[in-house]
Amino acid sequence: MKRAATLPACTLSTALLLTGCSYVTPTITQEEATEKVQEHAQNTLAALPQKAELEKRGGPGSPPCGNPSMLSEEDRVTVSEFFWIRGIPEEDNETTLELLHDHWDTNDYQILNDNRPNDPFINVENEEDSFQVAIEYNKYGDLALTVRSPCLWPDGTPEIF
């Protein structure tokens, strides 16, 4: 009787593992992702003139990915952080976007969106770790930088059952 009860669970687990289901694949932890978000932000800052500085627009966030697992009650999350880039005159915003576009293009980031000239927004993804970085400026001329991790399990491993 006990064997019959475990057979469906084992079959489901085996099937998911064999298909490479992302819901059971371990990830980096939320803490590690927070560190990598900072690394990507600092890497971006290093491409800008020395007078540029990052100002946090609040603490790191960890919103759910929107894909609750059928195997776990906990959602996977992303880690994101939002910054203002200070020290760049508003008249240099277009030059700054072009400078960052070139930096990312030559440093293993894939350009996902470049909405210029109609919309001052560029979004890229690091080819090694899938972290995304976006730059834009608002109608007031403020440069905004966003760095976001891919979906991850908060503790790095899924809780299957």
Side-chain angles (χ1 to χ4, degrees):
M1 184 72 89
K2 188 175 182 181
R3 181 178 173 183
T6 59
L7 185 59
C10 290
T11 302
L12 176 62
S13 296
T14 302
L16 291 172
L17 288 172
L18 290 175
T19 61
C21 178
S22 65
Y23 292 118
V24 295
T25 304
T27 63
I28 63 174
T29 66
Q30 190 170 338
E31 185 177 312
E32 291 167 327
T34 300
E35 291 174 15
K36 288 190 82 62
V37 161
Q38 292 298 320
E39 288 174 22
H40 284 283
Q42 291 302 319
N43 178 284
T44 298
L45 182 64
L48 297 176
Q50 204 168 22
K51 60 188 172 188
E53 297 177 346
L54 292 179
E55 176 186 315
K56 289 185 180 185
R57 294 169 38 197
S62 300
C65 289
N67 281 329
S69 170
M70 64 185 169
L71 299 176
S72 173
E73 293 180 13
E74 287 201 26
D75 289 342
R76 294 181 303 154
V77 298
T78 61
V79 174
S80 55
E81 185 126 18
F82 307 93
F83 304 90
W84 294 116
I85 298 177
R86 302 295 189 201
I88 305 281
E90 182 179 345
E91 60 270 13
D92 293 341
N93 282 351
E94 285 298 323
T95 304
T96 300
L97 266 60
E98 187 61 32
L99 181 66
L100 289 176
H101 179 281
D102 293 346
H103 166 74
W104 290 323
D105 193 41
T106 58
N107 285 281
D108 299 323
Y109 288 85
Q110 177 185 4
I111 308 295
L112 300 176
N113 297 295
D114 184 351
N115 298 345
R116 298 172 300 158
N118 299 330
D119 181 18
F121 175 81
I122 303 171
N123 183 40
V124 299
E125 182 174 281
N126 184 271
E127 294 174 359
E128 182 180 319
D129 61 18
S130 299
F131 277 65
Q132 290 189 13
V133 184
I135 184 77
E136 64 185 331
Y137 60 87
N138 61 24
K139 65 182 180 180
Y140 304 108
D142 298 314
L143 283 165
L145 181 73
T146 303
V147 184
R148 181 174 63 98
S149 76
C151 287
L152 55 93
W153 295 101
D155 294 326
T157 55
E159 295 181 17
I160 296 179
F161 294 103

